[in-house]
Amino acid sequence: MPIATVMPLGFQPGQHGMEKDRTLVVVLHGWRSSPERLRDVARAASTALDNPGGLDLFVPKMPQSRWYSFKSPTEITAALLRDLDRICQDPDRYSRIFLVGHSIGAVIARRLFLIAIGMNQVVASEGVLNGEPARPWAIRVQRIVTLAGLNRGWVRSGRLGWQESLATSLVALVGHGWVGTSAPTLFSFRRGAPFVVHTRLQWLALQRDAQAHKPLVVQLLGTQDDLVGPDDAVDFAVDGTGDGGYLYIELPETDHPAAVIFSPRPDDPNGARGDGRRRRFVAALTESHEALERMSVDRRFLADTLPLAAEPGVERVVFVIHGIRDDGYWTRRIGQRVREAAEAAGLSADSNRTITATYGYFAMLPFIWPWIRREKVEWLMDQYVAAVAQYPKAQFSYVGHSNGTYLLARALQDYPAAHFHNVLFAGSVVRRDYRWKRLIDQSRIRHLVNMVATADWVVAIFPSGLEPLRGFDVGGAGFGGFKEAAIAPTISEVRYVRGGHGAGIAERHWPGIAGYIVHGAIPASDPDAARQSRLLRAAARVSSLLLAGIVAVFGFLPFYFAYEHVGDGGAYWGAGMAGLAFAYFLLLRFVVTRV
């Protein structure tokens, strides 16, 4: 059968049928997998879907087949789009297309369809996918079948087996600590990562578009899968409608790798389990929606607590996020003041919501490490997706203190789909040269208020001292202000609020913060705070040297204790030095976990 151009590797044209109205099945493997490991899947799909019209297979070998792959999923998806453009260059060749994916290949399959159908023009994409046009072949996609799909992304947790736990821990360590923009491919599929978040947001936009073409999605997951849980495969937040858009079918006695094995294994000599998986997979490809609903597990039984139903009547939502050395109890008080201010202004209390979720206590020393801070950014964006799902017509605003300011600044940098209306920062640890004007010009935020304190020694010394080190992406805006405030009228700085690191969120400022969120009124400065501490201003100018001195002192003490302990001071002197060393390590533990 003639094909006009050279086809991509992995394309397997059928040997019979017609040149028009054929079936195309695309099978995408997971991490450290390959087309060979999915041969049972490809063979079962070919047998089940083949018809007189003919069937072609596309089972590409993708970069994630190598455990050391550093190719980003956006580049992988873009390359697959180009391959499918070549395969589908004749618009009449295929009348139906099926996308099948295993593990992270399932996430790629879903994103592949979303970009092809044009959802990146509704919700912005990251990287090279942002400029991809819609494809005419997308409307031919009839079904997406996932096998152990990581729709919400993987997360390190106690429920993982030791092998999965070791692999995800190593990937997280390398990904967060890697210098440069590249990272292990698997790292980009963690929960809250940009590729996963934008895929979820675009899928949500697709579900809400009454005119968009929506293929049937069938998800198969093993009951013994340690890596993917039901709430990872079935994205409860995104699938908030409960209308059967997601069909979930269990694969009994099946772990993560075995989901794609239909032939007998050593632990299954008669092939009963593999044959059962094959039958369920074939049903996912061929059975009617009604028949699959009878086979699927009711979504109500998949999780103890399902997300709340969507609330289209909510018009305004404000995130109030705490910072370091803080349990965040004050966030609820500000949330309360915001709702009270809205009601006092004649706005319905039911049309306003506050999100005061916490990521837990966060000490100062862990804050220094970039990978720990960015894990909290991923947490925030997972919350953001859930909020967009629950409040489909709401306008989002943000109040952040300390590390809460970093979370939003980094999220706006890494997630083009994130949008906020009014933003207020207090005790900000964001770099002073952060490019807010670009975000304002892109309508990513409407207005920013930065509360600058008179005596914030935390920001003046620690983030300010790290600001010259580009790899730390933090700075002293909470003490020195933002540089672009002088050129952007929609950036306002309150100079000054009296006090230290928590001055901007002191109780006396709660009404002003609420007024800004509800009405856009700039909070007032403290009348008795005309200037900052001169001593702290001087310390901020040499904060990098002060920080280096602190590190040097703490680093020298263990060597001092060790030297004295083995010296000639006698047993009592040695015991005393050992006690001081023990006290030092207790102090260090306290600093790491509490200060």
Side-chain angles (χ1 to χ4, degrees):
M1 184 171 300
I3 298 176
T5 61
V6 177
M7 291 291 105
L9 294 176
F11 179 69
Q12 304 170 27
Q15 300 304 312
H16 71 277
M18 302 180 294
E19 294 186 23
K20 308 292 182 182
D21 298 325
R22 297 175 66 81
T23 297
L24 174 66
V25 180
V26 180
V27 181
L28 305 179
H29 64 77
W31 184 60
R32 294 186 60 203
S33 187
S34 64
E36 291 74 21
R37 293 188 180 183
L38 267 67
R39 60 181 177 273
D40 288 353
V41 173
R43 187 181 299 117
S46 298
T47 302
L49 295 172
D50 200 4
N51 57 46
L55 178 142
D56 297 338
L57 272 173
F58 179 43
V59 193
K61 185 173 184 177
M62 297 182 288
Q64 71 266 23
S65 63
R66 301 183 299 272
W67 66 267
Y68 53 87
S69 168
F70 276 67
K71 183 73 72 173
S72 75
T74 56
E75 294 174 312
I76 294 171
T77 305
L80 288 171
L81 284 166
R82 291 191 291 271
D83 288 342
L84 283 170
D85 288 342
R86 291 159 61 190
I87 294 171
C88 302
Q89 60 181 323
D90 180 354
D92 298 322
R93 182 172 177 81
Y94 299 111
S95 59
R96 58 179 190 162
I97 299 174
F98 294 78
L99 302 180
V100 179
H102 174 235
S103 190
I104 67 173
V107 187
I108 295 174
R110 187 162 67 147
R111 189 62 176 279
L112 183 67
F113 170 75
L114 288 167
I115 301 300
I117 206 69
M119 282 298 111
N120 58 326
Q121 297 169 25
V122 180
V123 176
S125 290
E126 76 290 357
V128 296
L129 294 179
N130 210 34
E132 290 285 351
R135 268 62 175 185
W137 51 260
I139 60 172
R140 307 294 174 88
V141 177
Q142 291 190 356
R143 294 193 185 188
I144 300 176
V145 178
T146 71
L147 294 148
L150 277 162
N151 289 330
R152 285 189 67 196
W154 59 264
V155 61
R156 289 180 292 165
S157 74
R159 66 175 169 80
L160 297 181
W162 73 267
Q163 292 176 312
E164 292 85 358
S165 180
L166 177 61
T168 54
S169 295
L170 290 175
V171 167
L173 178 64
V174 174
H176 283 300
W178 193 262
V179 177
T181 57
S182 61
T185 301
L186 184 61
F187 181 70
S188 298
F189 291 90
R190 67 200 184 281
R191 185 172 300 178
F195 185 81
V196 173
V197 165
H198 287 105
T199 301
R200 297 177 68 201
L201 289 172
Q202 289 179 2
W203 192 263
L204 184 61
L206 174 74
Q207 297 302 101
R208 289 174 175 168
D209 188 343
Q211 306 302 317
H213 168 66
K214 301 179 183 68
L216 181 65
V217 179
V218 186
Q219 299 170 106
L220 299 108
L221 180 64
T223 56
Q224 304 297 320
D225 198 319
D226 287 333
L227 184 62
V228 184
D231 56 340
D232 298 322
V234 180
D235 195 340
F236 295 118
V238 169
D239 182 37
T241 59
D243 60 357
Y246 276 71
L247 294 169
Y248 171 82
I249 298 175
E250 287 185 334
L251 301 175
E253 299 183 84
T254 300
D255 58 16
H256 193 73
V260 295
I261 298 176
F262 302 158
S263 53
R265 300 174 65 186
D267 61 344
D268 182 24
N270 296 323
R273 297 172 192 165
D275 189 58
R277 296 182 200 118
R278 183 189 59 79
R279 289 198 306 270
R280 286 171 173 80
F281 173 68
V282 169
L285 292 171
T286 60
E287 292 288 349
S288 67
H289 189 287
E290 292 74 15
L292 290 171
E293 278 190 321
R294 291 192 292 271
M295 297 173 60
S296 66
V297 180
D298 193 310
R299 69 189 302 271
R300 295 173 300 169
F301 307 146
L302 294 177
D304 296 329
T305 305
L306 290 172
L308 297 174
E311 300 182 56
V314 174
E315 299 173 359
R316 288 165 294 276
V317 174
V318 56
F319 284 79
V320 188
I321 305 298
H322 67 85
I324 64 172
R325 304 185 304 141
D326 189 355
D327 289 308
Y329 299 132
W330 58 270
T331 61
R332 304 170 196 171
R333 303 289 185 264
I334 289 183
Q336 172 190 337
R337 297 303 192 278
V338 169
R339 298 190 71 177
E340 290 172 350
E343 191 167 9
L347 303 173
S348 170
D350 291 335
S351 67
N352 293 269
R353 293 290 187 275
T354 57
I355 296 175
T356 59
T358 176
Y359 51 84
Y361 192 90
F362 197 31
M364 188 182 302
L365 193 59
F367 164 78
I368 293 175
W369 307 121
W371 52 88
I372 299 180
R373 291 198 309 274
R374 290 171 193 169
E375 283 184 347
K376 308 303 181 185
V377 177
E378 294 156 13
W379 167 86
L380 175 65
M381 290 310 298
D382 195 59
Q383 297 288 319
Y384 180 83
V385 173
V388 172
Q390 188 173 351
Y391 310 113
K393 298 182 179 179
Q395 179 185 83
F396 292 96
S397 291
Y398 191 93
V399 175
H401 173 244
S402 188
N403 186 55
T405 68
Y406 172 85
L407 299 187
L408 182 67
R410 184 73 195 195
L412 289 168
Q413 177 180 321
D414 292 347
Y415 300 80
H419 289 76
F420 288 87
H421 189 63
N422 289 334
V423 175
L424 184 140
F425 281 177
S428 175
V429 294
V430 178
R431 296 181 61 87
R432 296 190 62 209
D433 59 1
Y434 190 89
R435 298 178 64 185
W436 289 108
K437 190 175 182 301
R438 178 185 58 181
L439 296 171
I440 293 169
D441 292 343
Q442 295 171 350
S443 299
R444 301 277 307 284
I445 67 168
R446 188 193 74 87
H447 192 274
L448 169 70
V449 166
N450 185 36
M451 309 278 278
V452 182
T454 58
D456 191 344
W457 66 269
V458 173
V459 173
I461 294 175
F462 288 95
S464 294
L466 293 170
E467 187 162 352
L469 305 176
R470 291 279 174 176
F472 284 94
D473 68 351
V474 294
F479 187 79
F482 287 110
K483 294 180 178 179
E484 287 192 347
I487 60 173
T490 49
I491 301 177
S492 302
E493 298 205 304
V494 178
R495 292 177 181 262
Y496 297 99
V497 291
R498 184 185 70 256
H501 193 48
I505 54 169
E507 186 170 350
R508 64 183 182 276
H509 293 297
W510 293 352
I513 294 174
Y516 169 67
I517 295 299
V518 175
H519 306 293
I522 308 303
S525 59
D526 286 326
D528 56 347
R531 62 183 183 181
Q532 290 178 307
S533 164
R534 292 180 179 177
L535 179 61
L536 273 182
R537 290 181 70 88
R541 284 193 286 269
V542 294
S543 56
S544 296
L545 294 176
L546 290 174
L547 200 56
I550 293 171
V551 172
V553 169
F554 271 86
F556 169 75
L557 286 176
F559 295 101
Y560 172 76
F561 290 139
Y563 174 78
E564 291 294 342
H565 182 64
V566 299
D568 299 325
Y572 290 107
W573 180 258
M577 289 298 100
L580 287 175
F582 181 69
Y584 165 77
F585 285 110
L586 285 180
L587 174 64
L588 190 61
R589 179 181 182 277
F590 177 76
V591 170
V592 169
T593 59
R594 299 303 300 171
V595 174

